[in-house]
Amino acid sequence: MTCKGKLIIILLGPPGAGKGTQAKLIENKYNIPHISTGDILRDAIDKNSTLGKNANDYMHKGELVPDDLVFDLIKERVENPDCKYGALFDGFPRNLAQAKMLMNIQYVKQSKNFFVFLINISDDEAIRRLSNRRYCPKCKSIYNLIHKIPERKKNGIYLCDNCGTELIIRDDDKVETIKNRLKVYHESAEHMINFFKELSVLHIITNSIEQDVFRDITRIIEAESTLEKD
Ligand code: AMP
């Protein structure tokens, strides 16, 4: 599907809500790039760039990295030609200041199709999902031991189905860090959610099953946007 004008989608929700999974499905359906600030920051840490060095300590503790780092990253990213017809933000904005910044950039102001989806799950469910998550440090594939179980194990350690690398638990998916991430989420998300509610762009998704969440999201986009079928 293509769209007249830009399609901008924001996915909100606690860590573990499945934003990354939905993002991949949305990206494929609407041909807009998936911009995950978490992925960009993790990549910067892997490359040991200045951004990575500045973000590292915050991320390992489950804290938010400073807003100015994220603003610069987003402003630069939306200049990329692949964002011409829109973008899907996952993990950004994270607080009211970031939400206001986003609404103020020209890129967003020009969009007629602007959607914010909040995928709601409980803290217990978030902890259950994240503590069962396994990550491939090489090809970045994500698994979980509840419903996306890797096929092979070596010496008790799961291997990536894709490239055979030993899977790890990401530092920020360790239980203590998860609890801190949830605390940070609750502290910083409320004002941002109210802000989007007042702008009448917020859609709350209460389903938690992957296919149902995607169905709800696409129904709303198709009912309310100026999208055209190819
Ligand atoms: P995520 O993969 O979205 O859960 O992000 C992992 C970590 O990256 C977070 O716990 C934060 O430390 C950092 N991070 C990602 N996005 C943002 C953002 N928009 N603002 C501040 N910190 C962020």
Side-chain angles (χ1 to χ4, degrees):
M1 255 189 221
T2 53
C3 86
K4 279 184 184 163
K6 272 193 231 98
L7 171 65
I8 296 184
I9 300 175
I10 303 205
L11 293 180
L12 303 179
K19 300 187 293 295
T21 308
Q22 294 304 321
K24 293 279 169 253
L25 297 169
I26 296 169
E27 181 181 34
N28 284 340
K29 185 165 173 86
Y30 298 108
N31 296 314
I32 52 173
H34 168 203
I35 300 177
S36 154
T37 41
D39 283 352
I40 296 173
L41 291 167
R42 273 185 290 278
D43 194 47
I45 290 177
D46 289 347
K47 291 190 176 124
N48 206 19
S49 67
T50 312
L51 173 65
K53 284 182 195 147
N54 290 331
N56 195 18
D57 282 353
Y58 299 97
M59 288 183 73
H60 280 274
K61 284 188 244 155
E63 307 283 339
L64 294 185
V65 308
D67 287 343
D68 52 345
L69 290 184
V70 180
F71 290 171
D72 290 349
L73 175 168
I74 290 290
K75 279 190 214 140
E76 197 184 313
R77 184 62 186 84
V78 297
E79 292 297 317
N80 201 302
D82 66 342
C83 295
K84 188 169 174 203
Y85 297 110
L88 162 65
F89 295 97
D90 158 17
F92 174 85
R94 279 293 225 277
N95 57 28
L96 183 60
Q98 293 186 10
K100 286 187 172 167
M101 173 265 166
L102 180 72
M103 300 312 287
N104 264 323
I105 56 175
Q106 206 52 33
Y107 180 78
V108 171
K109 282 185 180 166
Q110 291 161 350
S111 165
K112 291 196 184 71
N113 298 307
F114 181 84
F115 297 89
V116 181
F117 295 103
L118 169 63
I119 309 173
N120 251 343
I121 59 164
S122 69
D123 283 7
D124 285 346
E125 178 62 9
I127 292 170
R128 189 178 79 95
R129 289 186 187 181
L130 292 177
S131 57
N132 279 291
R133 191 149 81 169
R134 296 294 179 273
Y135 175 72
C136 173
K138 188 167 178 208
C139 75
K140 320 274 187 234
S141 298
I142 292 183
Y143 300 83
N144 73 63
L145 308 184
I146 307 168
H147 56 71
K148 194 182 174 204
I149 305 169
E151 282 173 8
R152 288 173 298 146
K153 252 183 172 178
K154 192 176 147 199
N155 302 330
I157 298 173
Y158 283 105
L159 303 177
C160 178
D161 291 346
N162 201 23
C163 68
T165 305
E166 286 189 1
L167 300 182
I168 58 166
I169 303 180
R170 250 167 43 185
D171 273 353
D172 58 350
D173 284 342
K174 294 183 176 149
V175 173
E176 279 321 300
T177 314
I178 296 171
K179 287 187 181 161
N180 197 35
R181 287 167 71 194
L182 286 167
K183 182 170 155 273
V184 169
Y185 171 77
H186 290 301
E187 283 165 2
S188 53
E190 192 187 327
H191 295 302
M192 167 181 72
I193 290 169
N194 287 336
F195 171 75
F196 285 128
K197 215 180 262 172
E198 278 162 23
L199 293 177
S200 305
V201 290
L202 181 74
H203 303 271
I204 299 177
I205 310 286
T206 47
N207 267 314
S208 67
I209 299 166
E210 202 175 293
Q211 296 87 331
D212 296 344
V213 174
F214 185 57
R215 186 204 55 213
D216 290 354
I217 289 177
T218 51
R219 272 192 192 153
I220 293 168
I221 294 175
E222 275 148 46
E224 296 189 14
S225 69
T226 55
L227 291 172
E228 285 185 333
K229 287 207 165 87
D230 280 334

